[in-house]
Amino acid sequence: MVLTKEYRVCMPLTVEEYKIGQLYMIARHSLEQSEEGEGVEVVENKPCEDPVHGKGQYTEKHIHLSSRLPYWIQAICPRVFYVIEKSWNYYPYTLTEYTCSFIPKLNVLIKTKYEDNNGSTENCLDLTEDELKVRTVDHLDIAFDEVSAKHYKKEEDPKFFKSEKTNRGPLIEGWRETDKPIMCSYKVVHASFEVWGLQTKVEDFIQRGIREILLLGHRQAFAWVDEWHGMTLEDVRAYERQKQAETNEKIHNTSGGANAAAGEAAKEANDGDID
């Protein structure tokens, strides 16, 4: 059975403001999280159009992250594998799909909609009755839910950050009920990994990873608001292109080592024990 979770993440922003903040955050976050040989490689970024949602932006990325996986996943994956992210951004609605050619039974589908409220819409993404029966809802608090220690930075902690441009923050207990403006990212995540013996473990790992990324990314979008607030769409698209080029260069710096890694992949898969 596909594991379905709905995440609701509030921020002290408007949906219109976050249109810029989201693009800035993703571009900068991708660069900061990339290392030589690993990270987020942008393969394609172009306009697209949908008969229902109108004009948008299509992006395809390859996420190289082998060494960041738990050892029980590394045991079955070659070191050179990557996850394919395809995203259709029809803001304020987006659709994102994750697949992996090495693991054809892995699929993650994320539907997102942004609204100017505090997470009070009960079926924002129009789920069916059957989907609602298996859905679990997780309200993320960017101020008081903790990110992992390796991701924590005091200057990005909404409990301490105060914006000079917008005069928003620090966020105090109960801020989602009192602060204005406020918006919510509604994200429904369908995760499936249909491999007997590993399904539950992998699906749980995927959901935990997504939750951490959502919490970190939304914290950063607010903590970086003074850097992107006031940008036009053209400004942030230019910034996005610059950071994507820097990120791709960072990843390809060790492309020469990929062939050697591929030669070791089969041996690692045989030697690794799955817990």
Side-chain angles (χ1 to χ4, degrees):
M1 183 176 69
V2 176
L3 188 58
T4 300
K5 293 195 71 170
E6 179 176 322
Y7 299 94
R8 299 182 188 177
V9 195
C10 291
M11 286 185 294
L13 305 168
T14 67
V15 170
E16 188 61 29
E17 287 173 331
Y18 190 55
K19 183 176 185 178
I20 303 298
Q22 175 203 41
L23 295 173
Y24 178 94
M25 177 270 292
I26 291 172
R28 178 172 167 181
H29 177 85
S30 296
L31 178 61
E32 290 191 357
Q33 293 299 308
S34 296
E35 302 169 355
E36 291 189 350
E38 292 207 343
V40 182
E41 175 189 8
V42 180
V43 178
E44 196 168 7
N45 190 358
K46 65 181 182 181
C48 62
E49 192 163 356
D50 181 84
V52 175
H53 302 291
K55 293 184 178 180
Q57 194 79 5
Y58 169 76
T59 309
E60 181 176 333
K61 301 175 182 177
H62 291 175
I63 305 171
H64 305 261
L65 40 58
S66 301
S67 70
R68 303 184 186 192
L69 297 173
Y71 75 89
W72 52 269
I73 292 185
Q74 292 186 45
I76 62 171
C77 295
R79 191 179 297 175
V80 292
F81 101 108
Y82 55 82
V83 172
I84 301 168
E85 176 193 284
K86 295 182 179 180
S87 179
W88 296 262
N89 188 344
Y90 306 104
Y91 198 87
Y93 173 81
T94 66
L95 180 68
T96 307
E97 180 183 50
Y98 295 90
T99 57
C100 178
S101 58
F102 182 75
I103 314 172
K105 294 185 181 294
L106 170 67
N107 184 270
V108 179
L109 183 66
I110 304 177
K111 297 178 181 179
T112 304
K113 192 173 181 182
Y114 306 101
E115 290 188 348
D116 284 311
N117 58 49
N118 67 348
S120 56
T121 304
E122 280 311 309
N123 192 11
C124 180
L125 286 147
D126 299 320
L127 300 184
T128 66
E129 288 298 322
D130 288 340
E131 288 174 324
L132 289 172
K133 289 177 183 176
V134 298
R135 174 194 70 170
T136 59
V137 178
D138 188 354
H139 293 265
L140 276 62
D141 187 333
I142 64 169
F144 292 92
D145 285 0
E146 295 183 358
V147 294
S148 65
K150 66 181 179 181
H151 289 145
Y152 180 80
K153 296 179 181 178
K154 186 173 181 179
E155 63 270 22
E156 294 177 0
D157 190 333
K159 294 193 300 296
F160 304 110
F161 170 74
K162 183 174 180 62
S163 166
E164 295 182 4
K165 284 189 177 180
T166 68
N167 202 36
R168 299 172 202 168
L171 303 183
I172 63 174
E173 195 78 55
W175 68 273
R176 289 176 292 181
E177 304 301 324
T178 58
D179 281 30
K180 301 292 181 183
I182 192 163
M183 62 156 288
C184 184
S185 301
Y186 294 84
K187 291 182 176 285
V188 172
V189 180
H190 302 282
S192 65
F193 183 69
E194 299 175 3
V195 175
W196 186 86
L198 286 175
Q199 182 172 0
T200 301
K201 180 176 282 190
V202 172
E203 289 178 358
D204 285 345
F205 168 73
I206 291 169
Q207 292 286 3
R208 289 197 308 272
I210 289 172
R211 190 185 195 281
E212 173 77 9
I213 291 169
L214 292 179
L215 187 58
L216 176 63
H218 286 78
R219 284 165 64 103
Q220 290 176 331
F222 174 53
W224 297 340
V225 63
D226 287 346
E227 299 176 46
W228 59 258
H229 201 273
M231 277 185 166
T232 65
L233 187 59
E234 291 73 23
D235 292 336
V236 77
R237 286 295 183 194
Y239 176 86
E240 184 181 49
R241 288 191 294 271
Q242 175 193 343
K243 295 304 175 187
Q244 286 174 355
E246 292 177 24
T247 302
N248 286 1
E249 182 180 0
K250 205 173 185 182
I251 292 169
H252 287 297
N253 275 346
T254 58
S255 60
N259 291 332
E264 298 175 9
K267 181 178 183 299
E268 290 185 351
N270 290 330
D271 291 345
D273 293 329
I274 299 174
D275 183 24

